[in-house]
Amino acid sequence: MSTMFWNALKLSPALLGASLLFVSSTQAQGSVPSQAAAINNSQVVVTVEPIAEALTQLPQSTVALSNSDQVTTTTSQTATTEETTSPLTATETSSSLNPTNNLLAQQVPASDTSEVLEQINQYNNPGGESLDQVTNVTQLSDVSPGDWAYEALRSLVERYGCIAGYPDGTFRGNRATTRYEFAAGLNACLQQVERLIAASVEGFVTREDLETLQRLVQEFEVELATLGTRVDDLEGRVAFLEDHQFSTTTKLNGEVIFAISDLFGGDEVDVDTDGDGDDDASVGLDFDDNTVFQDRVRLNFDTSFTGKDRLRTRLQARNVATFEALTSNGLTREGRLGFEGNEGNDIQLDILGYRFPVGPAVVQIYANGAGLDDLATTVNPLDSSGSGSISRFGQRNPIYRVGDQNAGAGITFAPSSLLRVDLGYLSGEAEDPSEGAGVFNGNYSAIAQVTFQPAEFFRIAATYIHSYDNDNLRHGTGSLASQVDVNRPLVANSYGVEASFAFSPQLVLSGWAGYTDVIVLETGNADVWNYGATLAINDLGTEGSTLGFVVGMEPKLTGASSTVGSILGTRRDDDTGLHVEGFYKLKVSDNIAITPGVIWLTAPGHDEENEDIFVGTIRTTFTF
């Protein structure tokens, strides 16, 4: 056992406590939101010349309207966010354009300048609240009735219908209206009056209203000028981004993992040296000097052609090698890290897939790197190698890994909000034209899953997977015997039940059970079982941080025919070992998370004669 790593683990509670205090203090200082938006090339024009000119042309008395002194035309406005499918995935976050002071952007019908103001309002309104027209300033509860500008604004709103507020009767939230928000509303009324003057609509504007506008413009001259300057700055920033963007259709996002890991535990394990199925020798395992520093890098190029489709091209490089005791030639396949894989940091095409909607359904086509978990939901909030469970087992039911998977297609459709159906087929040898290979004649896995969600906080899924392989089950977890590595063709029918229950957004309990019926062609059969449960405690310590636990039995060979047993060296695993895992993902910032975690394997290889093994890691994840 690495003394240095073990001592580091013993000190980890103190280190985590210090980290939490540091993060809390830095977050208390506030943050500046990122800025990104697409704004049309138009300007906020704030002028009083048309009003001044109109004042000189109007008679001294108020011009009487033909029907009444009040404009009855009121334009209904609604600021909405168009729903589109971004080329980014669920990890995406929307950015806000909010400077120090939020602006209540208004728009004027048939005015070019309204487009800019409306977009400012949309980007300041990431929640997508609807902005319905307000025709009486008393509905704007945040405006102080004691201010002279209040009465002026009330009159203009009621006469020209040019101010919009939120449905709750406020400009934004339960607070006093800022001068910048007031100036945005004033600018909308100003443009409305200018439009009426330009249209020469007789009797629509009174001299008193023009004088009131002139006084208001003088009072809020600085704020109106600042409003125009901010839009100019935004347009300049957007122009720069457009000139330097990577592509008009493609977005780049990535993930980098640094991990320091170690394996430690018992000094000896029992092994079968003569192949009779009985452990007859003890072999020493050298756990010293096993501390490793490994990495994984992923770059996703997500392209959208219609706004609702996504072509994903993922490049990957990694060097996360498996510990010797956990390799196929060692003791067990339990306890493997979730981000494991070793290509010597050579850059490879990891995933190439395209998804697009067809009516109410979504179709996915993969040319490389797909898994059944890409075609169906796994109903586990910890299913992420970069931000979820630190182990492969803790991510999802192992039956999703059964069979050879690489290229194929799937379809997902939801006939109602309560029901989701996933169907998919993946071939492991789709690119091979030789006999006994190809899309339909080689190894494959097919999935059919129905997910039922009667309430927002509860989901349950029933999964069936049919697979064919010319060698073994390939799930890569659990005991060596549960791989059913017989080096001959086999068919597997796997059945699973997965469920998730959210007591609250901060507390989510999930679990699964899986059974695989293995038929070794012209030989015999075998049975493999597994089960697990996960608990996620979200926003613990800091927002975005997660304390997670995983407990379960990794795949275990529970029975086999005599012929299959003779090939495997045993007809069943002797005992039941447990996988116990705990980790804490500390969100340092929006782009950095540090996750220390430990995996405890009792009775490794489902054999109580073997001493317990521990796998520890500190995973640091960078996202961009």
Side-chain angles (χ1 to χ4, degrees):
M1 175 178 70
S2 173
T3 304
M4 178 188 69
F5 190 83
W6 178 242
N7 290 335
L9 285 177
K10 291 191 291 183
L11 290 174
S12 60
L15 293 175
L16 281 178
S19 299
L20 287 174
L21 290 176
F22 173 76
V23 172
S24 299
S25 63
T26 56
Q27 288 186 343
Q29 297 175 7
S31 59
V32 179
S34 60
Q35 301 183 357
I39 299 181
N40 296 332
N41 292 326
S42 57
Q43 300 288 332
V44 174
V45 181
V46 182
T47 61
V48 295
E49 285 80 2
I51 297 176
E53 183 179 352
L55 280 171
T56 62
Q57 296 176 358
L58 284 175
Q60 296 298 319
S61 59
T62 301
V63 179
L65 299 178
S66 58
N67 52 354
S68 68
D69 286 338
Q70 181 173 344
V71 176
T72 58
T73 303
T74 301
T75 304
S76 176
Q77 305 175 34
T78 303
T80 60
T81 302
E82 182 179 358
E83 181 180 357
T84 61
T85 301
S86 167
L88 294 180
T89 60
T91 58
E92 301 168 340
T93 58
S94 58
S95 300
S96 171
L97 269 186
N98 190 12
T100 305
N101 295 291
N102 295 321
L103 300 177
L104 174 65
Q106 310 294 337
Q107 77 174 39
V108 179
S111 173
D112 293 338
T113 60
S114 65
E115 297 179 7
V116 175
L117 291 169
E118 180 181 12
Q119 291 182 50
I120 293 175
N121 187 58
Q122 290 178 0
Y123 288 110
N124 270 328
N125 182 27
E129 302 100 320
S130 176
L131 290 178
D132 296 325
Q133 188 69 35
V134 174
T135 58
N136 192 313
V137 78
T138 57
Q139 295 176 249
L140 302 174
S141 58
D142 284 346
V143 179
S144 174
D147 195 337
W148 72 268
Y150 175 88
E151 290 298 325
L153 180 62
R154 178 189 60 78
S155 177
L156 292 173
V157 169
E158 294 181 350
R159 291 181 67 82
Y160 303 107
C162 53
I163 302 294
Y166 289 90
D168 62 357
T170 66
F171 274 114
R172 178 176 290 278
N174 297 320
R175 59 172 175 78
T177 302
T178 69
R179 291 178 63 85
Y180 290 102
E181 291 172 332
F182 191 90
L186 172 60
N187 184 65
C189 277
L190 186 63
Q191 293 181 52
Q192 175 79 316
V193 172
E194 289 177 355
R195 186 181 69 85
L196 295 176
I197 294 174
S200 299
V201 181
E202 183 179 358
F204 265 46
V205 182
T206 68
R207 182 181 182 87
E208 286 81 359
D209 288 342
L210 292 175
E211 291 175 345
T212 300
L213 277 171
Q214 190 175 36
R215 184 183 176 190
L216 287 171
V217 167
Q218 293 173 352
E219 176 74 17
F220 292 90
E221 181 179 4
V222 175
E223 288 77 15
L224 289 170
T226 303
L227 176 63
T229 300
R230 285 177 175 171
V231 174
D232 290 341
D233 291 343
L234 291 176
E235 288 180 345
R237 179 173 175 80
V238 170
F240 176 83
L241 293 175
E242 289 177 346
D243 292 340
H244 296 80
Q245 63 184 338
F246 172 76
S247 169
T248 58
T249 58
T250 302
K251 293 184 179 180
L252 169 67
N253 62 84
E255 179 185 80
V256 178
I257 293 177
F258 289 170
I260 180 169
S261 309
D262 199 358
L263 182 148
F264 46 94
D267 295 329
E268 293 182 344
V269 295
D270 291 335
V271 295
D272 177 18
T273 58
D274 54 15
D276 62 359
D278 297 324
D279 295 334
D280 46 33
S282 294
V283 177
L285 293 180
D286 184 10
F287 290 133
D288 293 332
D289 302 323
N290 265 352
T291 300
V292 292
F293 182 58
Q294 301 164 321
D295 66 83
R296 188 188 74 181
V297 180
R298 284 179 171 178
L299 297 178
N300 293 325
F301 296 88
D302 292 329
T303 304
S304 180
F305 305 101
T306 66
K308 297 183 179 180
D309 62 340
R310 187 194 71 183
L311 173 65
R312 166 161 288 185
T313 305
R314 174 187 287 171
L315 301 180
Q316 178 174 270
R318 58 183 176 177
N319 65 353
V320 188
T322 310
F323 287 107
E324 182 178 354
L326 305 180
T327 64
S328 57
N329 296 322
L331 170 66
T332 181
R333 299 294 276 169
E334 300 167 281
R336 298 176 64 189
L337 297 174
F339 46 92
E340 181 184 303
N342 183 22
E343 293 82 29
N345 266 338
D346 292 335
I347 299 175
Q348 296 187 348
L349 178 63
D350 181 49
I351 285 182
L352 180 60
Y354 181 60
R355 72 182 186 192
F356 56 94
V358 177
V362 175
V363 177
Q364 300 188 72
I365 301 175
Y366 284 91
N368 186 71
L372 294 180
D373 58 296
D374 294 312
L375 305 180
T377 174
T378 60
V379 198
N380 184 10
L382 301 183
D383 189 359
S384 172
S385 59
S387 60
S389 167
I390 62 172
S391 70
R392 287 168 61 97
F393 176 69
Q395 292 173 7
R396 65 189 76 108
N397 191 332
I399 68 169
Y400 287 104
R401 304 182 188 273
V402 169
D404 201 0
Q405 308 170 23
N406 186 44
I411 183 171
T412 297
F413 60 94
S416 71
S417 60
L418 303 178
L419 197 64
R420 166 176 169 163
V421 179
D422 299 298
L423 303 172
Y425 176 92
L426 294 176
S427 170
E429 303 170 311
E431 78 290 350
D432 188 353
S434 62
E435 184 179 358
V439 176
F440 301 109
N441 293 324
N443 299 340
Y444 69 85
S445 288
I447 186 172
Q449 178 172 294
V450 177
T451 304
F452 181 58
Q453 187 169 357
E456 184 178 355
F457 56 85
F458 177 69
R459 287 191 301 167
I460 186 169
T463 308
Y464 170 68
I465 297 172
H466 178 75
S467 61
Y468 168 84
D469 196 274
N470 56 18
D471 191 35
N472 64 84
L473 284 182
R474 297 184 186 271
H475 58 78
T477 55
S479 67
L480 295 182
S482 71
Q483 314 301 310
V484 193
D485 190 355
V486 292
N487 197 26
R488 61 187 65 190
L490 56 84
V491 174
N493 295 297
S494 300
Y495 308 87
V497 176
E498 300 82 27
S500 177
F501 186 91
F503 297 94
S504 69
Q506 287 73 39
L507 185 62
V508 184
L509 177 66
S510 301
W512 68 80
Y515 164 69
T516 300
D517 177 24
V518 186
I519 303 172
V520 182
L521 300 184
E522 300 180 355
T523 303
N525 55 22
D527 299 320
V528 177
W529 282 87
N530 85 90
Y531 58 82
T534 69
L535 178 65
I537 306 174
N538 300 315
D539 299 330
L540 182 65
T542 63
E543 184 178 358
S545 297
T546 300
L547 177 64
F549 299 96
V550 180
V551 178
M553 180 188 74
E554 295 203 31
K556 171 185 175 181
L557 180 68
T558 59
S561 63
S562 58
T563 307
V564 173
S566 63
I567 298 174
L568 297 176
T570 181
R571 297 187 62 178
R572 67 181 60 83
D573 286 320
D574 294 336
D575 304 296
T576 299
L578 292 179
H579 173 115
V580 181
E581 175 183 340
F583 65 90
Y584 179 65
K585 183 190 72 174
L586 174 64
K587 186 176 181 181
V588 179
S589 69
D590 290 339
N591 303 103
I592 302 176
I594 301 176
T595 309
V598 176
I599 303 169
W600 174 24
L601 302 178
T602 70
H606 297 302
D607 186 349
E608 292 182 352
E609 297 296 326
N610 298 326
E611 296 186 24
D612 295 356
I613 291 178
F614 297 86
V615 180
T617 188
I618 300 177
R619 178 187 66 196
T620 301
T621 306
F622 307 88
T623 56
F624 57 90

